[in-house]
Amino acid sequence: MINKTVNNVTEALEGIHDGMTFMLGGFGLSGIPENCIQELVKRNVKDVTCISNNAGVDDFGLGLLLKKKQIKKMISSYVGENAEFERQMLSGELEVDLIPQGTLAERCRAAQNGIPAFYTPAGYGTEVAEGKEVRDFDGKPHIMEEAFKADFAFVKAWKGDEAGNLIFKGTARNFNPLMCGAAKVTVVEVEQLVKPGELDPNFIHIPGIFVQRIFQGEKYEKRIEQRTTQS
Amino acid sequence: MLDKNGIAKRIAQEVQDGFYVNLGIGIPTLVANYVRDDIELEFQSENGILGMGPFPREEDVDADLINAGKQTITALPSASFFDSALSFGMIRGQHVDLTILGAMEVAQNGNIANWKIPGKMVKGMGGAMDLVGSAKNIIVAMMHTNKAGDSKLLKTCSLPLTGVECVTKIVTNLAVLDIVDKKFRLLERAPGVSVEAIQQATEGDLIVEGDIPEMKL
């Protein structure tokens, strides 16, 4: 077995520095790598570019990095829940690249799978298509989108083993599996780190080959944005 | 005139047996409350679930189980979870039968704008561009006019576009319309609303043919 475990979040983030590009899994606050984000805040890395579907909320998730002005550029699909984000964007302090959610997912998957670019109909005829190659397939226009390039991917899984095999839970899966192996270094934090053999190979979502470092997160708050229950 | 629930109730009649349906945030989410219970369908939420169930009881709330509006939900026994690329594969690949979403503006050629007001509001498009770029069957749920009283059914959109020539049907608080030959066509009136009132609230070209029936709710 090739053992991917590191002792803690400090070891997991070895090698990060200012100006890097990070991928971060999660949809809203669901499935975000909470421990890695806390460590990024603590290390105070600056001028980073973050590829993440959302930007957290004002006091949790990527909102914590925004508040400390650590982020130079965000690449996201939806940023509506964060007032500080909106303020920094409208004032020009923060560069923002808004892209369609399916395109964001596919650009991660392309990077993971060694596909340099692909064509999608999403965004044709809108400002998203500006400056991009357009090509017709079956009479329908598509725009060319390129794979992401990133230095680190920070991923949250539910369970993982020492070999880096991963299982995700519910809708906390979202972008996480697609970012594994899509950056130069993939760091995974899990709620439960187990010995090899404890996970059924039939139910592994991501094989360990896509993972460089794995650790069990110290604690998970798992905050809920919109707690909605039956009345 | 209909309220938001009335719009949702009318749209629910468009959902057919065997459909996989994606509901956007806002009025579209309410559609789930009014679908006939004698048909089989599944709701897809683009953050990664097919077979979305109702909101949970307090004791069943799970942070790892939310919809695209970030609300806590439940999963039906038939449910499945998947990553965001596969989710948009269902959408781009036209496996989802019906997409219902909100809009700020719709143009008579089927263009839609719903993600940005330059200099004012920039929340992002989320999955809307992928949805409208590929779906065969797109119903827009919205109020006929904005808060200032201006028509949202226009000759051309003034806001940044989400998609081009994609909307097939529109259900508003005043009417049901579809798009033919790059014009709006009036199909039904909301209860108590006259054809004249609809014409007045529609800036784009409006086709009115024969007697326009009132919606049956």
Side-chain angles (χ1 to χ4, degrees), chain A residues 82-139:
Chain A
N82 193 313
E84 174 64 14
F85 184 100
E86 202 156 16
R87 192 198 65 72
Q88 286 187 23
M89 177 170 60
L90 291 172
S91 71
E93 289 165 59
L94 180 69
E95 282 177 59
V96 180
D97 195 1
L98 289 169
I99 61 178
Q101 197 175 329
T103 299
L104 181 75
E106 201 63 18
R107 289 178 70 185
C108 293
R109 203 179 75 91
Q112 177 190 57
N113 289 276
I115 295 168
F118 58 91
Y119 291 91
T120 176
Y124 171 75
T126 76
E127 58 188 62
V128 163
E130 283 168 16
K132 288 175 186 160
E133 182 190 320
V134 175
R135 193 165 153 187
D136 282 14
F137 295 94
D138 294 326

Side-chain angles (χ1 to χ4, degrees), chain B residues 51-77:
Chain B
M52 182 168 48
F55 296 132
R57 290 173 301 179
E58 188 61 42
E59 61 269 31
D60 295 328
V61 166
D62 181 352
D64 295 329
L65 192 42
I66 63 169
N67 64 18
K70 283 102 179 175
Q71 295 170 307
T72 45
I73 50 159
T74 54
L76 298 175

Side-chain angles (χ1 to χ4, degrees), chain B residues 11 21 36 39 50 53 68 83 107 125 127 133 153-154 157 206 210-211 215-216:
Chain B
I11 291 176
V21 181
R36 279 163 40 204
I39 62 170
L50 196 60
D83 66 58
M125 65 291 281
L153 290 96
L154 307 171
C157 290
L206 183 68
D211 279 342
M215 292 178 202
K216 290 186 186 71

Side-chain angles (χ1 to χ4, degrees), chain A residues 30 54 77-79 100-103 120-122 126-127 140 169 171 173-174 222 224 226-230, chain B residues 55-56 58 61-66 70-72 81 83-84 88 92 116 123-127 130 133-134 161:
Chain A
S30 190
N54 311 92
S77 86
Y78 189 82
V79 293
Q101 197 175 329
T103 299
T120 176
T126 76
E127 58 188 62
K140 188 176 169 170
K169 179 169 164 269
T171 54
R173 188 183 315 191
N174 55 66
K222 294 178 116 182
I224 292 171
Q226 307 280 342
R227 176 180 286 268
T228 315
T229 53
Q230 284 177 26
Chain B
F55 296 132
E58 188 61 42
V61 166
D62 181 352
D64 295 329
L65 192 42
I66 63 169
K70 283 102 179 175
Q71 295 170 307
T72 45
F81 300 118
D83 66 58
S84 302
F88 282 92
R92 257 190 259 100
K116 183 178 184 181
K123 292 186 185 302
M125 65 291 281
D130 308 272
S134 295
L161 294 179

Side-chain angles (χ1 to χ4, degrees), chain B residues 57-117:
Chain B
R57 290 173 301 179
E58 188 61 42
E59 61 269 31
D60 295 328
V61 166
D62 181 352
D64 295 329
L65 192 42
I66 63 169
N67 64 18
K70 283 102 179 175
Q71 295 170 307
T72 45
I73 50 159
T74 54
L76 298 175
S78 58
S80 55
F81 300 118
F82 35 84
D83 66 58
S84 302
L86 195 59
S87 181
F88 282 92
M90 293 174 193
I91 290 163
R92 257 190 259 100
Q94 301 192 334
H95 307 289
V96 171
D97 299 288
L98 175 63
T99 291
I100 302 166
L101 76 176
M104 299 184 215
E105 295 178 346
V106 176
Q108 64 192 38
N109 64 349
N111 284 2
I112 177 172
N114 71 354
W115 72 283
K116 183 178 184 181
I117 303 173

Side-chain angles (χ1 to χ4, degrees), chain B residues 127-139:
Chain B
M129 284 192 185
D130 308 272
L131 282 158
V132 302
S134 295
K136 290 167 285 187
N137 200 357
I138 299 172
I139 301 180

